[in-house]
Amino acid sequence: MNQAQRERYSRQILFAGIGEEGQEALLRARAAIVGCGALGTFHAAALARAGVGSLTIIDRDYVEPSNLQRQWLFEESDAAEALPKAAAAERRLALINPSVRVRGVVADLTASNVAELVGDAQLILDGTDNFDTRYLLNDFAVSRGVPWIYGAAVGSYGLTMPVFPDRTACLRCVYPDPPEGVQPTCDTAGVLNVITSLVASYQVGDALKILSGHPELVQKQITTVDLWEGTTRQIEIPLRDPDCPACGRRLFPYLDESRRAPARLCGRNAVQIQERVQTLDLAELKSKLERLGEVRANEFALRFFVAPYEMTVFPDGRAIIKGTSDTGVARSLYARYVGQ
Ligand SMILES: [Zn+2]
């Protein structure tokens, strides 16, 4: 550590739980943040300020005005430009702490890219808003023996649970399958901004223990909080299930690359399509679509308005189609306007 670093992180070094040795470990640490919404922006800002050496931030979405109430890294200009969250986060973090290596990845985390994107992380933080990605993360983390920290928030309620593969129960020990049916989401039930930062703080607290070299200090508990009710509960994580498909039988169906299918984005009247990974030339697509309707494009995304739909197309071939929850309609629009 040099003198500037000693000064910058002095209050963290003074804290006995971390100290100089812990800070050195943080400066060398590598973490991945999956999902850069309310939870993920808080994780990223806190870990960057704490001096964590390398952060990979993966998010598939772009900044919208309705995000600004709770997504701590973003500004009005990001929403006006419809910047991808991973790109906006990378730009902002460079202003907060330029010594942190930040890799913002604009992508949907899938079985095909999970190893490449989070394979070198010592720890994965869950900032996602969907169970598909969490089960993928759990399969990946258990298969590689990497700790990850589950977090979720909606309304005024949130919960968090650390997973240490082979030492504590994993997500599938506790919840063998994703929940069925309609689940409340931030888009349908709303959310208080500070429940997200509270849940994310629990996650970052655990992350700092793990990355500073003290994973044994992480409480093996599920924490649930309701900020409106003013209640906090901590319960022991159940014992590992020896018959758990993931950490017991070591079956990892979420890592099967053939699972990729169009996904309804719950509560948003939108569908995400990625028929296959391909490289799209957005400038070329823009010139093609300009004759057909309003198009806005930058290097990260192209947005095309074709009433009553709105398509956002990314350079990796992925698209989000708003205005329908019908995957067939969405695939048809994709085929008509983007081609396959
Ligand atoms: Zn398990």
Side-chain angles (χ1 to χ4, degrees):
M1 226 182 314
N2 60 37
Q3 195 47 45
Q5 289 171 316
R6 264 199 189 84
E7 171 60 24
R8 179 167 194 137
Y9 304 115
S10 57
R11 303 307 189 267
Q12 202 162 265
I13 294 167
L14 277 170
F15 174 66
I18 291 185
E20 184 149 339
E21 207 175 311
Q23 187 62 48
E24 295 275 11
L26 290 177
L27 292 170
R28 291 190 302 269
R30 301 178 311 278
I33 296 165
V34 180
C36 194
L39 298 177
T41 49
F42 189 94
H43 301 150
L47 292 182
R49 287 181 191 278
V52 168
S54 164
L55 295 174
T56 299
I57 300 168
I58 302 137
D59 193 282
R60 64 188 181 188
D61 235 322
Y62 47 86
V63 183
E64 297 179 83
S66 66
N67 301 150
L68 300 176
Q69 165 247 7
R70 66 193 179 285
Q71 302 194 8
W72 309 95
L73 286 175
F74 304 139
E75 301 169 9
E76 286 201 353
S77 59
D78 300 323
E81 292 175 56
L83 273 187
K85 292 181 180 180
E90 186 180 307
R91 189 166 77 176
R92 183 74 193 284
L93 291 167
L95 301 172
I96 291 173
N97 190 347
S99 68
V100 174
R101 286 185 304 281
V102 178
R103 180 186 179 206
V105 182
V106 185
D108 191 18
L109 193 76
T110 68
S112 313
N113 62 18
V114 63
E116 193 258 317
L117 296 181
V118 303
D120 74 341
Q122 296 164 259
L123 169 71
I124 304 166
L125 283 167
D126 170 23
T128 69
D129 59 358
N130 68 90
F131 283 99
D132 252 9
T133 310
R134 289 195 185 103
Y135 279 73
L136 169 67
L137 272 186
N138 189 69
D139 268 8
F140 182 78
V142 171
S143 74
R144 297 284 185 103
V146 180
W148 75 282
I149 304 171
Y150 170 34
V154 66
S156 60
Y157 171 83
L159 86 162
T160 175
M161 179 180 102
V163 174
F164 290 88
D166 301 326
R167 290 175 40 212
T168 66
C170 80
L171 184 64
R172 297 198 75 189
C173 291
V174 183
Y175 308 106
D177 293 297
E180 299 267 335
V182 178
Q183 301 295 318
T185 71
C186 296
D187 297 283
T188 58
V191 63
L192 283 183
N193 58 10
V194 282
I195 188 63
T196 67
S197 54
L198 184 56
V199 167
S201 290
Y202 275 104
Q203 293 176 285
V204 170
D206 284 348
L208 291 175
K209 292 177 192 172
I210 293 167
L211 298 175
S212 69
H214 302 290
E216 73 285 355
L217 297 179
V218 174
Q219 298 292 317
K220 311 297 188 295
Q221 291 178 326
I222 298 173
T223 302
T224 66
V225 195
D226 190 318
L227 260 181
W228 213 246
E229 303 287 335
T231 52
T232 304
R233 288 177 62 213
Q234 291 193 303
I235 55 169
E236 291 295 314
I237 298 173
L239 292 175
R240 284 182 62 204
D241 176 0
D243 205 34
C244 168
C247 70
R249 290 185 278 143
R250 302 197 68 77
L251 300 171
F252 303 115
Y254 292 87
L255 297 179
D256 176 355
E257 295 187 19
S258 65
R259 281 179 64 89
R260 195 81 199 108
R264 287 184 192 85
L265 300 181
C266 190
R268 292 181 41 184
N269 194 32
V271 174
Q272 174 172 270
I273 296 274
Q274 185 153 34
E275 300 290 345
R276 61 191 167 80
V277 176
Q278 56 181 335
T279 304
L280 292 177
D281 182 339
L282 296 185
E284 186 192 353
L285 186 61
K286 180 170 186 269
S287 69
K288 194 171 99 177
L289 295 175
E290 267 167 348
R291 292 172 289 118
L292 306 173
E294 189 193 339
V295 187
R296 282 193 276 149
N298 55 33
E299 65 189 289
F300 306 111
L302 174 148
R303 196 177 279 187
F304 174 51
F305 300 84
V306 51
Y309 307 107
E310 180 188 312
M311 299 180 64
T312 304
V313 184
F314 299 90
D316 63 358
R318 190 167 56 85
I320 291 173
I321 291 133
K322 281 190 183 174
T324 182
S325 55
D326 182 329
T327 57
V329 169
R331 293 179 75 170
S332 162
L333 286 164
Y334 188 91
R336 272 156 54 197
Y337 293 112
V338 182
Q340 293 168 43

